[in-house]
């Protein structure tokens, strides 16, 4: 499509029915109560000139350009700050208003560079537009008067510039940072003519608290805040609507293009997940798609010690299919398998699991969700009946209390965090369960009512104590439980036992009992209480138990089935939900239906034309164990760097090295490709055509802005391998894959590319009964009928601190980087996070002689790595923290084999370690087990 | 240390630990066996049964009873 310019109504839409009738320049319009005259005029098709107003922000009333005349009212009120009244008669165009506006514009332009023809915003500047709208023809004040034309420029941010000479002090950037992003990093400094925009306390943008979300750039009506890509490339001339490929929020974006080149990514105002907002990754960090490190042609080698050979697609596909069949002939059907990617589209994932089931003839398919949210799938299915979060993101605006567990949304899910912060600034109260003092515990205008810094691995003891308080203090919603749930009596007897009391939990978690009781009472009596959680819940040996514990708590207190409540996983990757929905688990066909179900299997057998195995397949950790044992010999890896991301690196490397065939489909050579025999180049999200499903079950279209740089779509590659193995798929377009998904999977029955193109997005279940989708689940009944209470025994992890390994390591993410960093390390985001750091409490550092910035060794019983230390009291003494974005650090060298009992999700969040000041170069001698990381890092970005 | 156990024995013990609170141990054993049937690939079950046949000294009693139901 041509360049899409969304209508800006000037002030936000107000909720409610259009009940107030007004007349604008003789045109009648009805709007909800509280709507501004400016918005009413815009909706009537009579836009009022404006500069400081934009409909993502509350009215400010500073520019005075939007003056109007209203019958019965004195003067010329600002239309942006004047609410409509029944029967109001408004005039927006009169000689008096024209003269006033011309005078205002003349003053603005008198202090603005007259360089429109060479300005980067030429053609996209509201100041320029307004000068034209009001008919400004001359400026009587010359450049010799006092002005800001030599104001300094700030070019510190890698993605945008701030040019003070072009600023009109409308404060849209400041208000965007406050109201939309919620960081409050920008300030209007000074008064009157001296007013200027300041980042932080007189710092550069890069040094300040600015999180580079781009809200200020988007709000700026001039070229004061401008994307550097626009400065360098010029204005875009067409738009492609698509979906971000980073985290599970799944923001909708306008890819603004010049030809095949992306000039900028602008968040889409009507995007259901993000509603016009973005973060630094989605907004700016898309350059990896055209990075010179991209692998664009297939590579093959017989042995992993050989050099890669660049080959044709035909040779690579023939080689892959032939070797798969040879290995199966020698070692059995079950000797091969595949891992699907949560970064790929639903259609790309669906064809991989289909290849495994139909062509490989087994169920050895798993997905990277194994190592993040598989306990969510298990726990929510056991209790509610389906493996998905209960709410849409908008729901948080109705929450009275937010219980945030093991998640750090401002870093991991920043656009949702902005929604959450808005609600917290309004009135909601926050409870944080996290060993680490995350930013939300205390940040501008936000302070958690309770931060319970529980010890890593003690979640279940804590949630049981919350439930104990609800049950023993009479805070259970008895009506909800009686009508909607089953198994309550047995569970209530279990949870009321003394061993689940806050007093006992205090000994386990390290949190005082009174604090636990107060937080539990707040949650249970909130009105609307919503649970949001992340990998700090799931990546434990009791991840599934904890998910069920949270579900129990929500059911007992009646916090399910309406706006403002629920149990909500914050998914790590863009399509974790979708990859799970698509049958990526080795025990489930698409739609979470067990492979042993004859009726379900027969649906797929009919469509695929082959019989399917009724036995569960191997999960990722089981594949590694079987590879070392010798019964698993070949693996197809779609878009995951398991050699870096999975725990106990030495174990993973040994398993990969033991296989006869490893096929990697990825954008770049990565740690896993060092063990690969075939490297099939993948496509970036800018080349993909399909759908992603975000954490709120929202199915969004991903549209290509360019043809595949590799010459083949990923669904075509998989289809060709399957065809060579005797199972042709026959698709000519991904819409046909979605049609097959809809035909075979009840919750997707109503989904089609045509529907998504028409309505934008839809949240599953999308069926005949719910043709517009289902934003809130379990409204009138649970998917499984009755919600099921499941007793949740607290079992301490087997990973214990010892004298040799006295500290507990827990891991997480940082805002600017994404998972193993394959994408973000190849962008300007390295400006914020060039390396992983080990956060260590000052007390733990002091006793080890460690100072800030020192190189330290980090050792567990399975391996040793090294990185630099950052002293921080965010963690309690005894707990250290790091990220895993850089292969040179290799945080997973030290993580262990412990995993969730139900799903095998690794216990990334609890590893007993020792930290020591590094005095000698790293080497095998550092590793207590004699094992140390052996894999060299992938080349640095841009090298 | 649990890291020295065969993965299937370790996992079976982890599963059994979730059911120790059940007052009806027969029901717990049934649930453990049901979980294993639903989520484990056949060669994992074979490996667990081989450990049982070998005496399985480190196998939790509940897990051992459940394993016997898998034959």
């Amino acid at each position: 499509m041509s360049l899409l310019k969304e209508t800006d109504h000037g002030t936000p839409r107000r909720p409610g029915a259009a009940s107030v009738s007004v007349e604008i320049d003789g045109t009648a319009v009805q709007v909800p109560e509280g709507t501004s005259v400016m918005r009413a005029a815009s909706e009537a098709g009579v836009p009022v000139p404006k500069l400081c107003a934009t409909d993502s922000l509350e009215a400010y009333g500073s520019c005075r350009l939007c003056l109007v005349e209203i019958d019965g009212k004195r003067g010329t009120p600002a239309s942006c700050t004047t609410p409509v009244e029944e029967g109001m008669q408004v005039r927006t165009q009169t000689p008096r208003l024209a003269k006033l506006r011309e005078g205002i514009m003349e003053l603005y332009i008198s202090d603005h560079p007259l360089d429109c023809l060479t300005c980067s915003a030429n053609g996209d500047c509201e100041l320029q537009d307004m000068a034209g709208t009001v008919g400004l023809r001359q400026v009587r004040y010359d450049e010799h008067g006092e002005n800001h034309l030599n104001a300094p420029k700030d070019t510190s941010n890698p993605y945008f510039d701030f040019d003070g000479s072009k600023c009109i002090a409308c404060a849209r950037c400041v208000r965007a940072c406050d109201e939309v992003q919620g960081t409050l990093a920008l300030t209007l400094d000074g008064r009157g003519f001296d007013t200027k925009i300041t980042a932080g306390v007189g710092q550069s943008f890069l040094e300040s608290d600015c999180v580079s979300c781009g809200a200020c750039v988007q709000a700026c009506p001039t070229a004061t805040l401008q994307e550097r890509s626009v400065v360098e490339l010029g204005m875009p001339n067409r738009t492609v609507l698509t979906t971000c490929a980073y985290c599970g929020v799944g923001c909708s974006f306008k890819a603004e293009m010049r030809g095949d080149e992306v000039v900028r990514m602008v968040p889409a105002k009507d995007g259901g997940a993000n509603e016009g907002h973005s973060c630094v990754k989605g907004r700016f960090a898309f350059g990896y798609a055209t990075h010179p490190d991209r692998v664009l042609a297939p590579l093959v080698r017989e042995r992993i010690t050989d050099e890669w050979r660049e080959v044709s697609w035909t040779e690579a596909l023939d080689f892959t299919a032939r070797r798969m069949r040879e290995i199966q002939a020698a070692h059995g059907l079950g000797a091969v398998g595949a891992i699907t990617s949560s970064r790929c589209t639903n259609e790309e994932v669906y064809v991989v699991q289909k290849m495994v089931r139909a062509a490989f003839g087994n169920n050895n398919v798993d997905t990277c969700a194994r190592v993040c949210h598989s306990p969510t799938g298990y726990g929510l299915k056991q209790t509610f009946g389906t493996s998905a979060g209960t709410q849409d993101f908008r729901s948080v605006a109705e929450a009275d209390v937010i219980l945030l567990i093991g998640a750090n949304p401002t870093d991991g899910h920043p656009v949702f965090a902005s929604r959450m912060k808005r609600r917290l600034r309004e009135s909601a109260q926050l409870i944080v369960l996290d060993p680490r003092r995350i930013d939300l515990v205390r940040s501008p205008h936000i302070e958690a009512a309770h931060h319970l810094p529980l010890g890593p691995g003690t979640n279940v003891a804590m949630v049981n104590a919350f439930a104990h308080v609800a049950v023993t203090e009479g805070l259970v919603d008895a009506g909800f439980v009686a009508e909607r749930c089953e198994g309550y009596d047995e569970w209530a007897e279990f949870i009321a036992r003394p061993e689940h009391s806050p007093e006992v939990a205090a000994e386990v978690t390290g949190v005082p009992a009174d604090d636990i009781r107060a937080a539990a009472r707040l949650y249970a009596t909130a009105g609307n209480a919503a649970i949001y959680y992340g990998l700090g819940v799931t990546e434990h040996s009791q991840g599934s138990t904890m998910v069920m514990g949270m579900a129990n708590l929500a059911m007992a207190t009646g916090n399910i089935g309406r706006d403002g409540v629920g149990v909500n996983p914050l998914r790590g990757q863009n399509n974790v939900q979708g990859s799970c929905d698509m049958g990526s688990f080795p025990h489930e066909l698409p739609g979470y239906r067990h492979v042993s179900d004859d009726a379900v299997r027969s649906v797929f057998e009919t469509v695929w034309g082959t019989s399917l195995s009724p036995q569960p397949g191997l999960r990722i950790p089981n594949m590694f164990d079987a590879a070392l044992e010798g019964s698993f010999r070949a693996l197809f890896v779609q878009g995951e760097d398991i050699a870096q991301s999975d725990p106990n690196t030495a174990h993973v490397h040994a398993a990969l090295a033991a296989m006869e065939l490893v096929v990697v489909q990825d954008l770049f050579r990565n740690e896993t490709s060092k063990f690969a025999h075939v490297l099939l180049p993948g496509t970036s999200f800018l080349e993909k055509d399909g759908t992603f499903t975000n954490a709120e079950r929202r199915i969004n279209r991903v549209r290509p802005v360019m043809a595949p740089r590799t010459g083949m779509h990923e669904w075509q590659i998989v289809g060709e391998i399957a065809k060579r193995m005797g199972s042709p798929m026959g698709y000519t377009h991904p819409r046909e894959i979605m049609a097959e998904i809809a035909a075979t999977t009840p919750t997707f029955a109503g989904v089609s590319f045509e529907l998504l193109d028409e309505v934008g997005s839809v949240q599953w279940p999308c069926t005949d009964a719910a043709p517009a989708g289902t934003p809130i689940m379990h409204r009138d009944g649970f998917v499984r009928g009755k919600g099921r209470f499941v007793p949740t025994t607290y079992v301490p992890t087997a990973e214990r601190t010892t004298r040799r390994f006295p500290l507990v390591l827990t891991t997480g993410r940082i805002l600017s980087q994404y998972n193993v960093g394959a994408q973000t390390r190849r962008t300007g985001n390295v400006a914020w996070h060039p390396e992983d750091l080990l956060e260590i409490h000052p007390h733990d550092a002091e006793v080890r002689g460690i100072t800030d910035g020192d190189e330290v060794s980090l050792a567990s019983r399975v391996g040793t790595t090294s990185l630099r230390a950052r002293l921080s009291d965010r963690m309690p003494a005894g707990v250290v923290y790091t990220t895993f974005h850089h292969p040179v650090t290799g945080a997973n060298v030290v993580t262990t084999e412990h995993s969730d009992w139900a799903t095998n999700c690794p216990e990334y969040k609890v590893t007993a370690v020792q930290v020591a000041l590094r005095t000698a170069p790293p080497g095998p001698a550092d590793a207590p087990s004699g094992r140390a990381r052996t894999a060299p890092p992938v080349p640095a970005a841009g090298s | 240390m649990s890291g020295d156990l065969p993965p299937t024995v370790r996992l079976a013990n982890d599963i059994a630990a979730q059911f120790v609170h059940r007052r009806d141990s027969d029901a717990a054993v049934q649930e453990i066996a049901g979980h294993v049937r639903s989520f484990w690939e056949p060669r994992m079950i074979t490996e667990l049964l081989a450990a049982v046949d070998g005496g399985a000294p480190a196998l939790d009693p509940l897990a051992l009873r459940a394993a016997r139901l898998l034959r």
Side-chain angles (χ1 to χ4, degrees), chain A residues 692-866:
Chain A
F692 291 150
T693 307
N694 75 355
E696 49 171 1
R697 298 168 278 102
R698 184 182 300 280
I699 307 163
N700 260 314
R701 282 282 279 123
V702 187
R703 297 183 179 87
V705 305
M706 62 183 82
R709 298 183 66 210
T710 59
M712 281 189 87
H713 284 290
E714 294 192 28
W715 58 268
Q716 291 175 313
I717 296 166
V718 174
E720 287 296 321
I721 295 170
K723 184 171 84 175
R724 284 162 168 78
M725 295 181 73
S727 295
M729 293 189 183
Y731 306 118
T732 62
H733 191 276
R735 77 164 63 85
E736 297 164 7
I737 306 173
M738 178 51 81
E740 184 173 308
I741 296 165
T744 54
T745 308
T747 46
F748 277 67
V751 182
S752 67
F753 277 27
E754 290 74 20
L755 175 74
L756 296 173
D757 290 342
E758 183 187 334
V759 303
S761 65
V762 67
Q763 289 167 270
W764 68 257
C766 177
T767 60
D768 285 346
T774 310
I776 308 289
M777 295 196 79
H778 317 300
R779 272 194 186 277
D780 301 316
F782 286 93
V783 168
R784 66 181 302 279
K786 297 265 189 183
R788 177 184 171 221
F789 283 95
V790 178
T792 49
T793 303
Y794 167 62
V795 179
T797 173
E799 180 71 5
R800 306 287 168 81
T801 55
T802 62
R803 286 183 63 190
R804 194 172 177 197
F805 302 109
L807 303 172
V808 174
L809 169 71
T810 189
T811 61
R813 247 192 219 184
I814 201 163
L815 170 67
S816 60
Q817 296 288 337
Y818 181 69
N819 283 9
V820 297
Q823 294 148 292
T824 45
R825 282 185 287 106
R826 292 179 169 93
T827 69
N829 282 25
V830 291
W832 288 279
H833 189 75
E835 60 181 322
D836 293 320
L837 298 170
L838 183 76
E839 291 186 22
I840 183 169
H841 191 277
H843 172 77
D844 293 327
E846 185 179 0
V847 298
R848 289 166 174 79
I850 295 166
T851 58
D852 200 68
D854 281 347
E855 186 87 1
V856 297
S857 66
L858 174 68
S860 75
R861 61 185 164 78
V862 304
T864 300
T865 188
S866 63

Side-chain angles (χ1 to χ4, degrees), chain A residues 417-497:
Chain A
S418 291
R419 282 183 187 268
M420 187 180 274
K421 287 193 285 187
R422 191 178 312 147
R423 182 59 185 153
L424 292 170
R425 289 196 304 273
E426 288 170 355
S427 63
Q429 298 195 74
L430 176 66
I431 304 166
V432 175
L433 304 189
D434 201 305
R436 190 164 174 258
R437 193 179 67 244
I438 60 172
D439 285 350
L440 279 174
V441 171
R442 194 165 194 275
S443 59
H445 294 209
I446 288 171
E447 183 155 22
H450 300 279
H451 173 216
L452 309 186
L454 71 178
T458 64
N459 285 336
V460 173
M462 181 63 81
V463 81
N464 282 351
F466 269 54
H468 178 94
V469 171
V471 168
T472 59
E473 297 190 8
L475 304 178
V476 168
D477 184 339
F480 181 91
V481 168
E483 184 187 345
R484 302 280 306 271
C485 305
E486 66 186 19
Y488 175 76
D489 291 343
E490 184 194 352
W491 174 78
E493 181 277 323
F494 164 84
I495 210 71
R497 294 177 193 168

Side-chain angles (χ1 to χ4, degrees), chain A residues 435-636:
Chain A
R436 190 164 174 258
R437 193 179 67 244
I438 60 172
D439 285 350
L440 279 174
V441 171
R442 194 165 194 275
S443 59
H445 294 209
I446 288 171
E447 183 155 22
H450 300 279
H451 173 216
L452 309 186
L454 71 178
T458 64
N459 285 336
V460 173
M462 181 63 81
V463 81
N464 282 351
F466 269 54
H468 178 94
V469 171
V471 168
T472 59
E473 297 190 8
L475 304 178
V476 168
D477 184 339
F480 181 91
V481 168
E483 184 187 345
R484 302 280 306 271
C485 305
E486 66 186 19
Y488 175 76
D489 291 343
E490 184 194 352
W491 174 78
E493 181 277 323
F494 164 84
I495 210 71
R497 294 177 193 168
E499 63 261 36
H500 299 131
S501 68
E503 288 67 30
V504 174
E507 296 171 17
V508 174
T509 63
V511 177
D514 288 347
D515 294 355
I516 298 173
R517 279 193 186 277
R521 288 169 183 156
L522 179 61
Y523 173 87
T525 59
N528 284 344
I531 296 173
Y532 291 89
Y533 71 95
L535 304 184
V537 160
T538 56
E539 290 178 342
H540 286 278
S541 61
Q542 282 205 286
S544 292
T545 315
M546 180 59 184
V547 173
M548 293 188 290
M550 295 184 303
N552 292 337
L553 180 64
M555 287 190 291
T557 53
N559 282 304
I560 290 289
R562 62 180 187 276
D563 285 313
V565 300
V567 180
N568 303 284
L570 295 172
R571 305 274 186 172
Q573 301 196 51
N574 52 309
N575 202 33
V576 176
Q577 182 71 55
S579 69
C580 298
D581 299 341
M582 292 299 102
S584 291
F585 287 133
H587 66 286
E588 284 175 335
L589 288 156
Y592 303 102
R593 292 165 295 166
H594 202 274
V595 293
S596 63
D597 186 323
D598 293 341
V600 173
R601 236 180 24 262
S602 112
V603 169
F604 290 94
E605 288 173 338
T606 302
V607 175
W608 296 349
T610 187
S611 63
L612 302 176
S613 168
Q615 299 281 3
L618 293 167
R619 301 178 286 206
I620 293 173
N622 314 144
M623 291 179 189
F624 295 148
D625 291 339
L628 290 168
E629 176 262 330
S631 66
F632 189 78
R633 302 289 183 121
L635 181 63
F636 180 97

Side-chain angles (χ1 to χ4, degrees), chain B residues 32-34 36-37 40 45 48-49 63 65-71:
Chain B
I32 295 166
V36 170
R37 280 194 206 97
W40 285 27
I45 296 176
L48 180 67
L49 293 177
R65 287 172 59 194
R68 289 185 176 131
L69 297 179
L70 299 172
R71 291 191 188 277

Side-chain angles (χ1 to χ4, degrees), chain A residues 251-466:
Chain A
C251 296
S252 296
F253 274 92
K254 298 182 293 180
E256 296 194 342
M257 314 287 298
R258 281 180 74 88
D260 280 348
E261 192 164 26
V262 180
V263 175
R264 62 183 173 188
M265 299 289 285
V266 181
K269 205 158 86 173
D270 59 357
N274 55 318
E275 296 182 316
H277 192 33
S278 59
C279 79
V280 63
K281 294 189 284 288
R283 179 75 152 93
F284 297 116
F286 54 86
Y288 68 88
T290 50
H291 195 278
D293 284 355
R294 277 283 298 271
V295 178
L296 299 176
L299 305 173
V300 167
R301 57 187 173 185
E302 292 290 333
R303 292 171 295 276
I304 62 172
T305 49
D306 293 345
E307 291 295 317
W308 285 110
R309 283 188 304 116
E310 191 171 306
V311 300
S312 67
W313 275 110
T314 300
E315 182 177 345
L317 298 169
D318 286 347
F319 179 89
T320 301
R322 176 174 57 79
R323 291 292 296 125
M324 284 285 181
R325 279 291 184 238
E326 288 172 353
I327 290 166
Q328 287 191 302
H331 302 286
L333 283 182
V336 306
I339 298 172
T340 71
S341 173
S342 293
R343 296 179 190 173
C344 290
T345 64
N346 287 318
E347 294 74 16
E348 290 167 334
V349 168
Y350 180 86
V351 295
V352 171
Q353 63 85 33
K354 180 175 176 178
M355 172 177 73
V356 171
R357 295 189 158 108
F360 293 2
N362 61 45
N363 284 310
N364 291 336
V365 60
D366 206 355
T367 180
C368 53
R370 175 66 53 210
V371 300
C372 63
H373 267 291
S374 52
T376 289
Y378 179 87
L380 295 184
K381 185 163 187 180
Q382 292 292 316
T383 48
F384 297 161
T386 194
S387 305
T390 60
Q391 311 297 116
D392 61 358
F393 288 146
R394 288 190 188 104
S395 163
V396 76
E398 303 295 324
D400 299 312
V401 166
I402 296 169
L403 175 54
L404 184 63
I405 311 177
N408 186 9
T410 53
D411 282 52
H413 305 85
V415 171
F416 175 70
S418 291
R419 282 183 187 268
M420 187 180 274
K421 287 193 285 187
R422 191 178 312 147
R423 182 59 185 153
L424 292 170
R425 289 196 304 273
E426 288 170 355
S427 63
Q429 298 195 74
L430 176 66
I431 304 166
V432 175
L433 304 189
D434 201 305
R436 190 164 174 258
R437 193 179 67 244
I438 60 172
D439 285 350
L440 279 174
V441 171
R442 194 165 194 275
S443 59
H445 294 209
I446 288 171
E447 183 155 22
H450 300 279
H451 173 216
L452 309 186
L454 71 178
T458 64
N459 285 336
V460 173
M462 181 63 81
V463 81
N464 282 351
F466 269 54

